[in-house]
Amino acid sequence: MTTQTFWFTVGLIATAIMVITPLAHRAFGGASGERAAVRLAGAVATLSFTIGSGVVAAAMAVPWFGIAATLALNELRAIGYLSLLRRPSAAVLRPLATWVWMASGAGWLIAHRLGLEPLGFDRGITLLTVAHFHVAGLGLTALLTLTHGRRPGSTLLAAMWLHQAGMLAVAAGLTFSDHLEVAGAAAVTVALAVWATIVVGWLRGGIRGLARLLLVVAAVTWILPMVLALGWALAPFLPEPVVTTFETMLRYHAAPQTVGLVLCGLAGIMLTDPACENPPLADPSAHHTTREAADAVAQRTHA
């Protein structure tokens, strides 16, 4: 990995850590005290790239992992261990899966800053994995979850699970099988196509202003990056590879996903209802009380 590629990748990671993660935390209704800790730990983790790899650099990334693990454990306790077994969709309907991806990315960040090569991957691949888990893992999971909070439906829920399966398949494919990587890239592509279709229908409902612009950008931006991702995954099976360098993937896959899709998408969703800073998450139990609440209001009106 060249010096330019290294710092370009670090820039994407910094964007995910310093901007996307606090934005997702705020959108999920996280406490302001937690948000301050997220920002401080993110700043320290980002600064770890300014020194050489080693124990000190790795130690600077440890608080980021600690924050991620704390957020995930707190969410797991809020859902309840037994409730999660009965309703596994709570993992994606609530921020649990988002924080698990954050913890995974933080773990790879510590390994990279320590100078390790997990599973035999070189340091360049390790750094790219940090970016992938923070953007395609944390960022896209948060984007899909928050969209479902505003536009709940079984189709989007299926896409959310397809995205999770695709991310796991891509990770497994890099280690075990090229076929798994292709299947994973295809799954994520389908999930984003479903998401974009739902967002376009949402936009037709009358969203205006900056929120509309940001969501339009996000709903279009995903196409080229995922075409490149599919081309990269299919390379072992094609006579001539579609994408030949990591630099191409970084500039035309990773960068548009980070800024155009995830960042613009999250910001657009938060701006769709200025009166509600933290959009409510979809909870299946809420549907059972909707009719009862309406009946109560009607009774009070007649009285």
Side-chain angles (χ1 to χ4, degrees):
M1 179 178 285
T2 65
T3 301
Q4 183 179 10
T5 301
F6 171 82
W7 285 112
F8 192 90
T9 307
V10 169
L12 297 179
I13 294 171
T15 301
I17 289 177
M18 295 295 296
V19 182
I20 291 174
T21 305
L23 187 64
H25 182 269
R26 180 175 181 173
F28 282 130
S32 58
E34 284 184 348
R35 200 172 309 133
V38 168
R39 287 172 175 161
L40 178 59
V44 174
T46 301
L47 286 173
S48 72
F49 288 106
T50 62
I51 63 175
S53 60
V55 175
V56 175
M60 294 174 70
V62 169
W64 184 245
F65 178 83
I67 291 291
T70 299
L71 291 172
L73 288 173
N74 288 344
E75 184 60 30
L76 183 58
R77 293 191 191 100
I79 297 172
Y81 302 98
L82 294 178
S83 296
L84 187 61
L85 293 176
R86 291 193 297 267
R87 296 190 300 116
S89 287
V92 292
L93 290 174
R94 296 178 61 89
L96 177 58
T98 299
W99 305 141
V100 169
W101 282 114
M102 178 183 173
S104 300
W108 280 82
L109 176 60
I110 292 173
H112 180 271
R113 302 315 300 133
L114 196 56
L116 301 179
E117 297 182 348
L119 302 176
F121 294 125
D122 61 36
R123 295 195 63 209
I125 298 297
T126 302
L127 185 66
L128 291 171
T129 302
V130 175
H132 192 239
F133 282 1
H134 277 91
V135 177
L138 182 158
L140 286 183
T141 299
L143 180 63
L144 293 170
T145 300
L146 290 165
T147 303
H148 190 277
R150 296 296 180 88
R151 306 291 291 182
S154 58
T155 303
L156 184 54
L157 178 59
M160 293 161 70
W161 278 116
L162 189 61
H163 168 254
Q164 298 300 303
M167 285 292 298
L168 294 174
V170 168
L174 292 172
T175 306
F176 301 110
S177 169
D178 292 331
H179 293 85
L180 281 174
E181 188 175 358
V182 173
V188 175
T189 301
V190 172
L192 287 177
V194 171
W195 174 82
T197 302
I198 290 171
V199 168
V200 169
W202 189 9
L203 290 171
R204 289 178 179 175
I207 295 176
R208 295 290 181 266
L210 182 58
R212 182 183 182 86
L213 175 62
L214 291 171
L215 287 174
V216 167
V217 170
V220 173
T221 299
W222 69 275
I223 300 174
L224 176 61
M226 292 315 300
V227 168
L228 293 177
L230 284 170
W232 181 271
L234 286 168
F237 308 101
L238 298 176
E240 295 291 335
V242 177
V243 187
T244 58
T245 65
F246 278 122
E247 286 75 11
T248 300
M249 287 295 288
L250 282 171
R251 295 184 183 281
Y252 301 107
H253 169 78
Q257 268 206 332
T258 302
V259 179
L261 174 57
V262 176
L263 184 53
C264 288
L266 286 175
I269 289 171
M270 290 185 69
L271 289 173
T272 54
D273 187 1
C276 179
E277 188 174 276
N278 302 313
L281 298 178
D283 186 351
S285 63
H287 297 294
H288 298 296
T289 61
T290 303
R291 183 56 181 273
E292 295 174 5
D295 291 342
V297 172
Q299 289 175 6
R300 287 197 299 269
T301 303
H302 289 308

